[in-house]
Amino acid sequence: MILEQAIVVAQWVFFAYLVGLNTGFLLLNVSAFFAVRRYLTDRVLEDLLPIVSGMEPPVSVIVPAYNEENTIATSVRSMLQLEYPEFEIVVVNDGSRDGTLEALRREFALIPFPEAYRRRLPVRPVRGIYRSLRHANLRVIDKENGGKADALNAGINAARYPLVCAVDADSILERRSLRRVVAPFLHDPRMIATGGTVRVANGCVVRGGFLEEVALPRRLLPLFQVVEYLRAFLFGRAGWSPLNAVLIVSGAFGVFRREAVVAAGGYRTDTVGEDMELVVRLHRLHRLAGRPYRIAFVPEPICWTEAPESLRVLRAQRARWQRGLAESLTMNLALALHPSGGAPGWLAIPFAVLFEWLGPLVEVCGYGLLVAGFAVGLISVEAFAGFMILAVGLGVALSASALLLEEMSFHVYKRPRELAVLAIFAVLENLGYRQLLTLWRLEGLAHWAFGVRVRWGEMRRTASWQKAF
Amino acid sequence: MGFATASDALIAAAFWTGSAALALAALLIAGALFLRLRLAARREHEQRFSARWLPIFAACTEAIPDRLPALAPQDGALFLSLWVRALESVQGATRGRLVELAARTGADRLAVTLLASGDERKELIALAALGYLRLRSAEPLAAALIDLPFPLVSLAAGQMLLRLDASRHLPQVIERAAEREDWPVARIAAMLRECDRDAVAEALAQALAARLERASQAESEIVRLLQLARVANSALLRPAVCRLLERPAPAPVVAAALAALWHPEDAEHARRALGHPEWFVRVAAVRALDRVGGPEDRERLVALLSDSSWWVRYRTAQTLARLPGITRQALEKMLSESSDRFAADILAQVLSERDAR
């Protein structure tokens, strides 16, 4: 009897969790709809009255690189062609064990540069600084290995300009990407950080490091991730932006006000989620000090990244992301429900704690209970089917709403066939893929709880887009 | 099951919520497919429309064609957005012919209608077009729109008024530019660049002077006006900027005023600010000397190479390297004679940067 009652209670909890989670996302979806509409109207004015005022703040683009000898030259070459009035590129070779530095030396004719390097942020020792004979705005910092966060901090120390743009070495950009992501800084002097939508590059045609043609991947795993990225960026982030409660600016491509990052202490090196942690910390420090600030999200796709194509790599990535999330939230938990917390402290962080941090635990327990209860006869066929319809139905509805929002705004995938494929995958991803991700996220949660060590650079990319040259 | 009541209610709730979600998902997917079909139809219409009108716009470089297609009211926004782009790509008499073409097709009246459509996107297009059409009858409408709390429409209204009659509307637009923090300075600067430089400078000087008269100075407004002063760089602004630098003022105002200095006769203001306690003011002073200073500032700058702020040292070294008469040999001599490690490091860096250019 007690077991049966416990099962009923657990079922109610699981039901309430699923409905709460999806209601939250539905509200975010509504917020994202207005945010995207506002952005598109902004674009009309941008087209009719372009800002070419000479007042665009110069940007230091920081590219941390670890064992990137195959892709680094192409990446840097493409970044050098960004359409922006004034910018510099600072590549930070984080003690690569391959020929990354040699590739850079060869390609860009590097010579030693006697820079008066400032250690405003503590970093691992710098072994040398180089400048390019071919491009006056390119420098390379060679330092001892300290992880991605340490490399970014070394780049920030060397940055000459008031805005710093953190870009993954394997990010694929568009020529106007930098202009688009910097635009919010021109609109609002309180802006301290902006990020943009990241999309899956697998299947796309890339030439000279720039995206030339958008297409869907041919393999199943990246296809699932296309739908997932749509959902995550279009309303997972665009929805929070109008509330000034964006908790993550992707490490793949984000712009920060340099002095705000330095004042906050730079990227933390003791977390694998350094990009999210920095943003949550910026919220915490500014909110608690009562300093006005804005962190905005640009809904337009401006950065493309290669998604994992193997289960092993995807598993490692998702476990790492979940761990990063847990670390970012626990390191800044003081903001949660704080009287000065505002939308980040009262909405975004509690939402992230309940549905993203602890989510995998609740979901695995819920699904586990359903399957186990059904197997031993404690849960009827009707109950099992009812809950599966609920879980899958809500998941499909969310993916479908992301698809609709994409179609209302950017419709990046031009061919009608692609839209049909995405619609099919919006359904299919709820029949196993999402549950698999939940398991891996739980693994990440366990890594965090038991302090398993993970370092950057463990994920290998195939850089298959380079074959399109 | 023994717990049938609670469980049945729960199962029913789960089943119906899930079913409703699936039905919603089906609707959303159908909506996405419908939007794709509509988009395809709209693009096809736009292509046909462009194919019809773009050759006519191109023909206006010679003369307006005698026979013009009829312009349907529902195509007003599309026509005007194409027309604005066409107009911005040409100069001289062709512009006049395009304006006449718009009048002959009735696009000017459509623009006025769009201005009251309540659709922000259409209003923006109409405002952009009306600025070029110089339709006086639309002036009161735009004057009302400039004070709306929506930055996009109010900015576009300001732009339209400036295009219509810059000399008359500049003071009004500059006042809003100072007061409205939701108007990005960079966008206002882009608008002002289309106007006569002296007229902009005069309006800015008046706005600055008015604020200097007031007992309580609005610091942020003065800073915004000084940032815009860089668009004008006119002698008309010198008195107001110098007055600001002659009196005690908050550091951000001093830095912004230093950034607006451009005349060599005002270099003394920059020299005085080299000892300011705030590092960013010292940086602004050094950068001002880069523009207005001369060889006589060499010793002052050399002393600043040992400043506690890296940025002051860096900008100082750059300014020194650009001073008239300072050769590479002179810089190398400074480097070898420097007893201060910070000064030597920054000089070495700037020397290397100079070689890179």
Side-chain angles (χ1 to χ4, degrees), chain A residues 4 8 11-12 15 38 41-42 44-53 55 113-116 118 120 131 136 159-160 186-187 258 378 380 382-383 386-387 389-390 393-394 396-397 400-401 404 407-408 411 413-416 419 423, chain B residues 1 3 6-7 10-11 13-15 17-19 21-22 25 28-29 31-33 35-36 39 43 84-85 88 120-121 124-125 128 152 156 159 184-187 189-191 193 227 310-311 314-315 345-346 348-349 352-353 355-356:
Chain A
E4 288 168 354
V8 172
Q11 283 176 325
W12 273 109
F15 176 79
R38 163 80 4 219
T41 312
D42 253 332
V44 174
L45 185 65
E46 179 59 34
D47 287 346
L48 295 169
L49 175 59
I51 301 185
V52 186
S53 63
M55 286 192 169
F113 178 60
E115 175 150 340
R118 290 178 306 158
R120 298 179 79 192
R131 73 170 171 84
R160 302 270 165 79
L186 293 172
H187 296 158
R258 187 193 62 214
L378 278 171
S380 64
E382 293 83 5
F387 269 94
I389 287 172
L390 175 73
L394 290 172
V396 174
S401 65
L404 181 70
E407 202 49 38
M408 288 165 76
H411 25 82
Y413 298 98
K414 305 280 184 229
R415 300 175 192 95
L419 182 65
Chain B
M1 286 187 286
F3 45 94
S7 186
L10 185 59
I11 293 165
F15 176 78
T17 310
S19 300
L22 280 173
L28 293 171
I29 289 174
L33 295 171
L35 282 180
R36 175 56 65 97
L39 177 74
R43 286 207 168 137
V84 167
R85 283 195 190 94
E88 283 173 347
E120 204 175 350
R121 196 183 69 86
L124 290 174
I125 294 170
L152 291 183
Q159 168 83 314
V185 173
R187 201 176 275 288
M191 277 162 54
R193 279 190 200 284
Q227 286 171 338
W310 187 91
W311 282 106
Y314 180 54
R315 296 297 179 205
D345 285 353
I346 208 76
Q349 174 177 329
S352 182
E353 279 179 12
D355 294 343

Side-chain angles (χ1 to χ4, degrees), chain A residues 109-293:
Chain A
L110 300 181
I111 57 163
F113 178 60
E115 175 150 340
Y117 186 78
R118 290 178 306 158
R119 276 181 97 250
R120 298 179 79 192
L121 298 168
V123 291
R124 300 276 297 150
V126 170
R127 297 190 290 220
I129 299 177
Y130 304 85
R131 73 170 171 84
S132 167
L133 284 173
R134 293 187 187 136
H135 305 278
N137 61 339
L138 172 63
R139 278 180 295 154
V140 174
I141 296 173
D142 181 36
K143 63 180 277 294
E144 287 181 9
N145 180 263
K148 183 178 172 183
D150 196 62
L152 284 165
N153 286 338
I156 292 168
N157 281 341
R160 302 270 165 79
Y161 296 138
L163 298 184
V164 289
C165 175
V167 191
D168 278 352
D170 47 21
S171 289
I172 299 156
L173 306 176
E174 293 176 38
R175 283 191 166 78
R176 292 179 65 84
S177 293
L178 192 55
R179 196 177 273 283
R180 296 228 186 282
V181 80
V182 170
F185 285 90
L186 293 172
H187 296 158
D188 193 335
R190 297 167 300 172
M191 198 64 62
I192 57 169
T194 59
T197 295
V198 178
R199 293 282 175 95
V200 172
N202 309 46
C204 298
V205 178
V206 179
R207 280 191 215 288
F210 280 111
L211 187 82
E212 194 157 88
E213 191 188 329
V214 177
L216 284 178
R218 294 208 177 135
R219 302 182 69 167
L220 282 183
L221 213 48
L223 259 171
F224 283 127
Q225 291 171 77
V226 171
V227 178
E228 200 191 347
Y229 272 56
L230 276 183
R231 211 177 40 237
F233 282 92
L234 268 180
F235 57 82
R237 296 192 194 170
W240 288 115
S241 190
L243 305 171
N244 194 22
V246 174
L247 290 188
I248 180 160
V249 166
S250 172
F253 191 56
V255 175
F256 296 85
R257 202 173 285 285
R258 187 193 62 214
E259 290 310 308
V261 176
V262 171
Y267 286 92
R268 280 182 74 140
T269 53
D270 55 352
T271 168
V272 293
E274 70 288 328
D275 46 3
M276 180 177 184
E277 196 285 324
L278 174 64
V279 176
V280 183
R281 181 153 36 98
L282 286 171
H283 276 297
R284 175 169 62 82
L285 296 175
H286 281 78
R287 288 271 169 196
L288 301 190
R291 283 197 298 271
Y293 75 103

Side-chain angles (χ1 to χ4, degrees), chain B:
Chain B
M1 286 187 286
F3 45 94
T5 311
S7 186
D8 284 350
L10 185 59
I11 293 165
F15 176 78
W16 287 113
T17 310
S19 300
L22 280 173
L24 176 68
L27 271 177
L28 293 171
I29 289 174
L33 295 171
F34 168 73
L35 282 180
R36 175 56 65 97
L37 291 175
R38 209 180 65 167
L39 177 74
R42 203 179 69 209
R43 286 207 168 137
E44 204 181 309
H45 174 68
E46 284 174 4
Q47 273 174 6
R48 277 202 313 269
F49 191 85
S50 303
R52 192 184 317 145
W53 283 99
L54 289 181
I56 296 173
F57 294 159
C60 286
T61 51
E62 302 291 328
I64 304 172
D66 293 333
R67 294 182 58 170
L68 296 171
L71 179 60
Q74 65 269 24
D75 287 329
L78 180 55
F79 175 89
L80 289 170
S81 59
L82 288 176
W83 180 83
V84 167
R85 283 195 190 94
L87 192 100
E88 283 173 347
S89 64
V90 296
Q91 292 291 330
T94 310
R95 278 197 165 199
R97 282 193 282 275
L98 280 172
V99 170
E100 197 188 324
L101 172 85
R104 276 175 53 185
T105 53
D108 51 353
R109 290 188 302 280
L110 282 178
V112 176
T113 316
L114 289 178
L115 208 52
S117 65
D119 179 329
E120 204 175 350
R121 196 183 69 86
K122 289 180 179 168
E123 284 173 5
L124 290 174
I125 294 170
L127 283 165
L130 285 166
Y132 289 122
L133 285 167
R134 299 181 191 278
L135 209 62
R136 288 275 173 193
S137 59
E139 203 171 337
L141 267 172
L145 290 175
I146 199 173
D147 286 323
L148 284 182
F150 314 113
L152 291 183
V153 174
S154 58
L155 262 168
Q159 168 83 314
M160 181 203 145
L161 291 172
L162 289 182
R163 282 177 178 163
L164 203 64
D165 188 348
S167 57
R168 198 152 77 84
H169 293 294
L170 257 172
Q172 183 191 4
V173 173
I174 295 284
E175 271 305 308
R176 303 297 186 288
E179 290 162 4
R180 291 193 65 153
E181 292 193 351
D182 59 346
W183 278 23
V185 173
R187 201 176 275 288
I188 306 163
M191 277 162 54
L192 295 181
R193 279 190 200 284
E194 290 184 16
C195 306
D196 175 67
R197 226 168 65 163
D198 282 344
V200 171
E202 196 179 333
L204 284 169
Q206 279 172 8
L208 273 171
R211 278 157 183 81
L212 288 173
E213 298 304 323
R214 286 182 206 158
S216 61
Q217 292 175 10
E219 181 186 325
S220 67
E221 291 183 11
I222 292 176
V223 169
R224 285 168 70 81
L225 289 170
L226 286 168
Q227 286 171 338
L228 291 172
R230 278 182 272 168
V231 175
N233 267 1
S234 162
L236 293 166
L237 273 163
R238 282 182 60 206
V241 174
C242 291
R243 263 180 75 194
L244 266 169
L245 288 168
E246 280 158 8
R247 52 166 64 182
V253 173
V254 179
L258 287 167
L261 284 183
W262 63 276
H263 200 281
E265 284 177 20
D266 301 330
E268 204 47 47
H269 292 297
R271 289 177 192 127
R272 274 206 305 274
L274 290 174
H276 198 282
E278 290 287 355
W279 69 270
F280 61 89
V281 177
R282 297 199 297 279
V283 168
V286 170
R287 296 186 80 165
L289 279 184
D290 200 359
R291 295 188 301 276
V292 302
E296 66 275 21
D297 292 310
R298 178 177 164 156
E299 291 314 311
R300 289 184 189 89
L301 290 170
V302 169
L304 270 183
L305 285 172
S306 304
D307 194 277
S308 58
S309 159
W310 187 91
W311 282 106
V312 178
R313 297 198 298 274
Y314 180 54
R315 296 297 179 205
T316 301
Q318 283 182 321
T319 302
L320 261 173
R322 283 194 284 258
L323 273 185
I326 296 279
T327 58
R328 182 182 169 84
Q329 287 70 27
L331 285 171
E332 279 172 349
K333 189 161 178 278
M334 267 183 231
L335 177 62
S336 62
E337 288 172 355
S338 175
S339 56
D340 183 285
R341 186 172 64 83
F342 291 111
D345 285 353
I346 208 76
L347 272 173
Q349 174 177 329
V350 168
L351 261 170
S352 182
E353 279 179 12
R354 192 168 129 145
D355 294 343
R357 289 189 178 92

